[in-house]
Amino acid sequence: MRVDGNWFRRERMRIFLSTLGPVSDKPVHVLDIGGTASYWQATQDLWGAWPLKFTLVNLDVESHDDGPFAIRSGNACSMPEFADNSFDVVHSNSVIEHVGHWHEMAAMAHEVRRLAPAYYLQTPNFWFPVEPHYRTVGFQWLPESTRAHILAKRRLGFRGPEASYDAAMRNIQSVNLLTSRQMRELFPDAQLRHERFFGFAKSLIALRTPYEG
């Protein structure tokens, strides 16, 4: 059975909306780390009742404004340009697994928790049988060197084949999936939700609403 990415995206948006509280006329300032305007435009029918104003932060983009979207260049692991609680809610979808290893992940988690009283952060689950970037069963469980050797020779999912072993290793190390235990450590003040597919936890969602202590 094919996984319907749009269905998961819309279900995730419904979970995110639980961080916003009741609909009102007061603008809600959203920081989306690693997000795009097209992502939000595709689900506007779900969030359109709220007057959301977005700041979208990505590496190596040209800073500009586009309607409700303030697009800014920045680093998910260090955003000193924003003061504590500059936003009402932080959103991040499938980004933390790309920022580096534990040191960088912890730095990003600190920024997420610092910048708003509420947040939603989703990431693929290390223990889900199919690795989502390489679309291969159990690929993430193989040693790095084995994965790089395979990727240097063939295309897997959205990636490869790479021209050299060096390029393959860089590709492999650009994805570091997290477990439930690691997410709880990074986000101790959040609920941890499991997005399930045929009984397996496909993704992990750290969710903190403004109603929690």
Side-chain angles (χ1 to χ4, degrees):
M1 179 178 178
R2 186 177 68 88
V3 177
D4 188 338
N6 185 60
W7 184 88
F8 283 110
R9 187 178 303 115
R10 292 179 68 82
E11 286 303 303
R12 291 171 189 168
M13 180 59 64
R14 291 185 177 97
I15 295 172
F16 165 75
L17 293 177
S18 70
T19 68
L20 302 184
V23 176
S24 72
D25 294 332
K26 181 182 177 182
V28 178
H29 297 275
V30 178
L31 171 64
D32 188 353
I33 302 173
T36 63
S38 60
Y39 168 88
W40 292 98
Q41 290 164 343
T43 55
Q44 189 168 359
D45 61 308
L46 297 179
W47 58 262
W50 284 268
L52 303 187
K53 294 187 177 298
F54 303 93
T55 299
L56 311 180
V57 173
N58 282 280
L59 286 171
D60 303 323
V61 298
E62 182 179 346
S63 295
H64 65 283
D65 295 337
D66 182 10
F69 304 102
I71 298 165
R72 299 291 182 264
S73 181
N75 186 331
C77 301
S78 179
M79 291 177 277
E81 63 271 29
F82 301 125
D84 293 1
N85 291 317
S86 292
F87 301 90
D88 296 305
V89 59
V90 173
H91 176 283
S92 186
N93 192 68
S94 296
V95 173
I96 196 168
E97 71 272 18
H98 296 293
V99 300
H101 291 87
W102 188 254
H103 177 80
E104 291 79 16
M105 291 176 179
M108 178 177 172
H110 175 267
E111 292 295 82
V112 169
R113 297 171 63 205
R114 178 181 72 84
L115 290 171
Y119 60 80
Y120 164 101
L121 183 141
Q122 177 272 344
T123 190
N125 180 19
F126 176 81
W127 291 114
F128 185 69
V130 180
E131 205 293 334
H133 305 86
Y134 301 95
R135 298 289 180 94
T136 302
V137 174
F139 189 68
Q140 70 274 29
W141 304 333
L142 298 174
E144 280 189 347
S145 58
T146 302
R147 285 180 278 157
H149 178 76
I150 295 170
L151 194 64
K153 294 187 173 185
R154 67 183 65 173
R155 181 174 180 82
L156 297 175
F158 305 114
R159 299 179 175 225
E162 294 290 359
S164 67
Y165 185 79
D166 174 76
M169 277 298 297
R170 293 175 187 274
N171 191 317
I172 291 300
Q173 290 193 349
S174 72
V175 180
N176 295 283
L177 301 186
L178 289 134
T179 66
S180 294
R181 181 176 181 179
Q182 290 169 328
M183 284 285 281
R184 289 191 180 98
E185 184 70 23
L186 292 172
F187 301 100
D189 55 356
Q191 303 173 41
L192 183 63
R193 298 196 181 187
H194 296 79
E195 176 187 80
R196 295 195 177 275
F197 181 72
F198 282 104
F200 293 98
K202 179 178 182 290
S203 294
L204 307 171
I205 297 172
L207 185 74
R208 178 170 169 80
T209 73
Y211 314 109
E212 295 169 19

